[in-house]
């Protein structure tokens, strides 16, 4: 996953560089605020993604992991396209609608959807929470789709998490809990 992190970081650097250079050319202040908001979201995502250096991902990535990562990259590419289209477009036409159309897409693509993996004796959830395996009371497997197990994990503090683990991490969780 380190390769994915560095690609994500490269896109973030491009986004921040383009934003600093081009945002002053956007005429509509609402578009500027929206674009700055997306740049902040992308920066936050990259900060969360750095957890893989402290808790490295082991095993092969699942199709769901690749899909989620692709969605994040797609959101960043849409941001770049939207920014370039706003600053290089014919200003006689109202192009700020491009950004409004991207709002739900980029918002959805920028969220980690139930991403989880096991590292040592910890469950890493959504690249932001580190949960000790000892804190898990029980788990239920809801279904298996391709190479991803959909689980409902019940913690001892009565919190319930919905997540997906690939084959490698699911079997690792089973061994650690039993």
């Amino acid at each position: 996953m380190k390769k994915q992190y560095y690609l994500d970081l490269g896109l973030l650097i491009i986004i921040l560089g383009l934003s600093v250079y081009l945002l002053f050319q956007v005429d509509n202040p609402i578009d500027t605020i929206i674009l700055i908001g997306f740049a902040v979201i992308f920066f936050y995502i990259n900060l969360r993604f750095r957890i893989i250096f402290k808790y490295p991902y082991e095993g092969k990535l699942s199709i769901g992991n690749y899909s989620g990562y692709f969605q994040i990259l797609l959101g960043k590419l849409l941001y770049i396209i939207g920014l370039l289209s706003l600053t290089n477009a014919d200003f006689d036409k109202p192009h700020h609608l491009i950004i409004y159309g991207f709002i739900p897409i980029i918002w959805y693509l920028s969220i980690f959807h139930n991403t989880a993996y096991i590292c040592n004796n910890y469950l890493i959830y959504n690249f932001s929470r580190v949960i000790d395996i000892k804190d898990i009371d029980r788990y239920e497997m809801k279904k298996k789709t391709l190479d991803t197990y959909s689980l409902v994990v019940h913690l001892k503090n009565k919190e319930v998490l919905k997540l997906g683990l690939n084959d490698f991490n699911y079997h690792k969780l089973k061994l650690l809990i039993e």
Side-chain angles (χ1 to χ4, degrees):
M1 265 192 129
K2 291 181 182 177
K3 291 178 195 173
Q4 286 86 353
Y5 173 80
Y6 288 122
L7 180 59
D8 185 69
L9 180 62
L11 279 174
L12 178 65
I13 291 169
I14 291 169
I15 284 173
L16 294 177
L18 281 174
S19 295
V20 168
Y21 181 70
L22 295 175
L23 274 179
F24 297 110
Q25 297 177 18
V26 176
D27 291 336
N28 189 335
I30 295 173
D31 293 345
T32 304
I33 292 169
I34 291 170
L35 290 169
I36 289 171
F38 286 141
V40 169
I41 289 169
F42 293 141
F43 184 74
Y44 175 70
I45 288 171
N46 193 270
L47 286 177
R48 286 177 57 185
F49 200 22
R50 289 184 348 174
I51 198 168
I52 64 165
F53 290 107
K54 187 172 182 180
Y55 300 100
Y57 190 93
E58 298 173 354
K60 187 178 174 183
L61 291 175
S62 70
I63 293 170
N65 293 133
Y66 278 118
S67 171
Y69 178 70
F70 177 73
Q71 290 175 1
I72 291 169
L73 290 181
L74 183 61
K76 290 184 178 189
L77 290 173
L78 286 174
Y79 174 88
I80 292 169
I81 291 168
L83 182 60
L84 290 174
S85 68
L86 278 176
T87 56
N88 294 322
D90 182 11
F91 291 109
D92 294 335
K93 299 176 184 175
H95 290 282
H96 62 273
L97 290 176
I98 294 170
I99 297 301
Y100 299 140
F102 283 161
I103 288 174
I105 296 168
I106 292 177
W107 182 258
Y108 174 77
L109 298 178
S110 300
I111 299 172
F112 292 101
H113 298 284
N114 303 324
T115 305
Y117 64 96
I118 306 293
C119 181
N120 300 326
N121 288 331
Y122 298 102
L123 172 68
I124 312 304
Y125 180 67
N126 285 351
F127 292 114
S128 61
R129 290 192 55 196
V130 179
I131 301 164
D132 195 331
I133 296 295
K134 296 174 193 171
D135 294 336
I136 296 176
D137 185 34
R138 69 186 195 295
Y139 68 92
E140 304 166 24
M141 185 185 73
K142 292 297 185 182
K143 64 181 177 178
K144 181 181 179 193
T145 307
L146 299 173
D147 61 345
T148 302
Y149 293 85
S150 297
L151 304 173
V152 176
V153 176
H154 299 270
L155 301 177
K156 290 180 180 175
N157 66 0
K158 305 298 182 207
E159 189 176 358
V160 177
L161 306 174
K162 294 180 181 179
L163 53 97
L165 291 175
N166 65 4
D167 283 324
F168 177 80
N169 284 295
Y170 175 70
H171 293 298
K172 200 171 178 181
L173 177 68
K174 277 177 61 173
L175 288 173
L176 290 172
I177 289 184
E178 294 176 358

